[in-house]
């Protein structure tokens, strides 16, 4: 999908002081822990290493920890990088509620196209976000080795000391770069995903994660099916029909094509049902044929043509 395999590193071991020491990666936004939202965005990574104490996650990961724990983002990045082998590495914080897979793809594509050593997002104020970025792993290792040689230890070093030595390209994205440092940020994120333009996609993503389903389908097709079933048959037919379509698609082997084919058949049936209910003529009805004639009615006796009748 990405042209070149990549590994992912997610930093999730911060102290979250502005959240009163709360377990920030575990805070739920849209029904999902922040860390699971970030892991979904880098689901295509060859390996994903999370630098933090182990916890349950929706996707399998490798766990790492800087020494000593709490040594800061540069030390954490160094600890995570030790578990990677790909030439390209996506580095993410665990508090990005609006990060999605398309942004990860865009970062990797920009890294390949630019020839730079790293591509990072900038936020609404134009500030660099080095924990929403894609890097060339050899460049990271070079700079980490230089910092270790200079300081003897990476503990406590700010990320700008690492990125200052890299040739970087920047991509503005105020939405995907939005991170949750305070409870106000959490409230903003929770409100935004419930807006009309976002709530459906957010809900579908949450359901797929909860059920362990990794399937991209045309939700427009399913919504059209639900509408046709509700309007042409009865309102409760909508959820039941979409359930049956999913079941039929699974029996047919699953995948977007199976869903689309099962949906097509169900839509056609719903339209035929609606046509009958509206009184539309049968396509094979003959002109002049009475539509309400009783099939079992006896034919009327014809009058006796005999002149003696009567």
């Amino acid at each position: 999908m990405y042209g070149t395999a990549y590994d992912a590193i997610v930093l999730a071991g911060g102290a979250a002081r502005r959240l009163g020491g709360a377990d920030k990666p575990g805070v739920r936004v849209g029904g999902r822990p922040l860390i699971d939202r970030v892991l979904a965005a880098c689901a295509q990574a060859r390996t994903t290493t999370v630098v933090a104490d182990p916890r349950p996650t929706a996707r399998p990961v490798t766990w790492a920890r800087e020494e000593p724990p709490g040594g800061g983002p540069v030390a954490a990045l160094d600890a995570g990088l030790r578990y990677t082998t790909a030439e390209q590495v996506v580095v993410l914080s665990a508090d990005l509620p609006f990060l999605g897979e398309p942004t990860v793809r865009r970062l990797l594509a920009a890294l390949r196209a630019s020839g730079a050593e790293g591509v990072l997002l900038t936020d609404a104020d134009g500030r660099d976000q080095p924990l929403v970025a894609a890097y060339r792993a050899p460049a990271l290792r070079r700079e980490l080795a230089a910092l270790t040689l200079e300081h003897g230890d990476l503990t406590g070093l700010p990320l700008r000391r690492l990125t200052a030595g890299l040739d970087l390209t920047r991509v503005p994205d105020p939405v995907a770069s939005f991170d949750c440092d305070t409870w106000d940020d959490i409230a903003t994120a929770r409100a935004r995903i419930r807006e009309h333009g976002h709530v459906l996609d957010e809900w579908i993503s949450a359901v797929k994660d909860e059920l362990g389903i990794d399937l991209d389908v045309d939700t427009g097709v399913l919504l059209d099916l639900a509408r046709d079933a509700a309007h042409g048959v009865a309102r409760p037919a909508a959820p039941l029909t979409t359930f049956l379509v999913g079941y039929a698609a699974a029996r047919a082997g699953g995948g977007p094509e199976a869903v689309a084919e099962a949906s097509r058949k169900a839509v056609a049936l719903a339209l035929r049902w609606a046509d009958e209910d509206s009184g539309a003529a049968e396509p094979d009805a003959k002109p002049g044929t009475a539509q309400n004639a009783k099939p079992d009615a006896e034919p009327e006796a014809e009058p006796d043509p005999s002149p003696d009748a009567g």
Side-chain angles (χ1 to χ4, degrees):
M1 177 181 294
Y2 296 97
T4 304
Y6 78 98
D7 292 330
I9 302 171
V10 178
L11 305 190
R17 292 182 181 88
R18 285 190 280 176
L19 288 177
D23 175 27
K24 181 162 66 169
V27 172
R28 295 182 181 275
V29 173
R32 290 187 291 167
L34 284 169
I35 189 171
D36 283 343
R37 299 177 71 88
V38 173
L39 292 177
C42 59
Q44 296 301 318
R46 189 174 62 183
T47 65
T48 299
T49 301
V50 179
V51 186
D53 292 330
R55 65 171 64 236
T57 54
R59 297 176 183 273
V61 301
T62 298
W63 296 97
R65 204 67 170 107
E66 73 275 23
E67 289 292 341
V74 176
L77 177 55
D78 179 64
L81 195 61
R82 298 174 188 272
Y83 290 85
T84 66
T85 57
E87 290 292 306
Q88 299 178 2
V89 178
V90 171
V91 178
L92 306 167
S93 61
D95 61 350
L96 301 165
F98 305 129
L99 181 70
E101 195 173 348
T103 299
V104 172
R105 286 199 300 265
R106 184 153 55 105
L107 287 169
L108 290 164
L111 183 64
R112 291 195 304 269
S114 67
E117 294 176 325
V119 177
L120 52 77
L121 295 190
T122 57
D123 66 15
D125 297 319
R127 293 173 298 197
D128 287 354
Q129 298 297 313
L131 296 184
V132 200
Y135 298 99
R136 298 190 189 278
L140 286 179
R141 292 191 175 94
R142 181 195 71 217
E143 293 305 310
L144 287 167
L147 289 173
T148 302
L149 183 63
E150 179 182 355
H151 297 276
D153 189 359
L154 299 176
T155 300
L157 292 180
L159 274 171
R160 64 177 178 274
R161 296 295 300 274
L162 174 66
T163 57
L166 297 172
D167 173 25
L168 298 174
T169 294
R170 292 162 174 83
V171 177
D173 193 330
V175 176
S177 63
F178 181 89
D179 56 359
C180 293
D181 291 326
T182 67
W183 286 114
D184 284 344
D185 294 336
I186 297 291
T188 297
R190 286 172 171 170
R192 185 180 186 276
I193 66 170
R194 285 169 171 77
E195 294 174 358
H196 178 71
H198 306 284
V199 65
L200 185 59
D201 286 341
E202 289 287 348
W203 171 247
I204 294 300
S205 296
V207 171
K208 289 196 294 186
D209 263 13
E210 190 73 15
L211 299 179
I213 298 171
D214 189 12
L215 175 66
D216 289 324
V217 298
D218 187 344
T219 54
V221 169
L222 294 177
L223 289 174
D224 288 345
L225 165 61
R227 178 202 62 205
D228 291 338
H231 292 174
V233 183
R235 189 168 297 277
L240 294 173
T241 305
T242 51
F243 163 77
L244 292 172
V245 163
Y247 182 76
R251 292 197 63 183
E257 297 81 5
V259 174
E261 176 62 13
S263 298
R264 183 192 64 77
K265 291 179 178 179
V267 166
L269 175 61
L271 294 177
R272 293 198 304 270
W273 187 292
D275 283 345
E276 292 180 14
D277 189 53
S278 66
E282 293 293 332
D284 56 353
K286 297 178 181 179
T289 301
Q291 295 297 311
N292 58 354
K294 297 180 180 179
D296 297 330
E298 292 291 334
E300 295 182 8
E302 295 191 7
D304 188 349
S306 167
D308 298 331

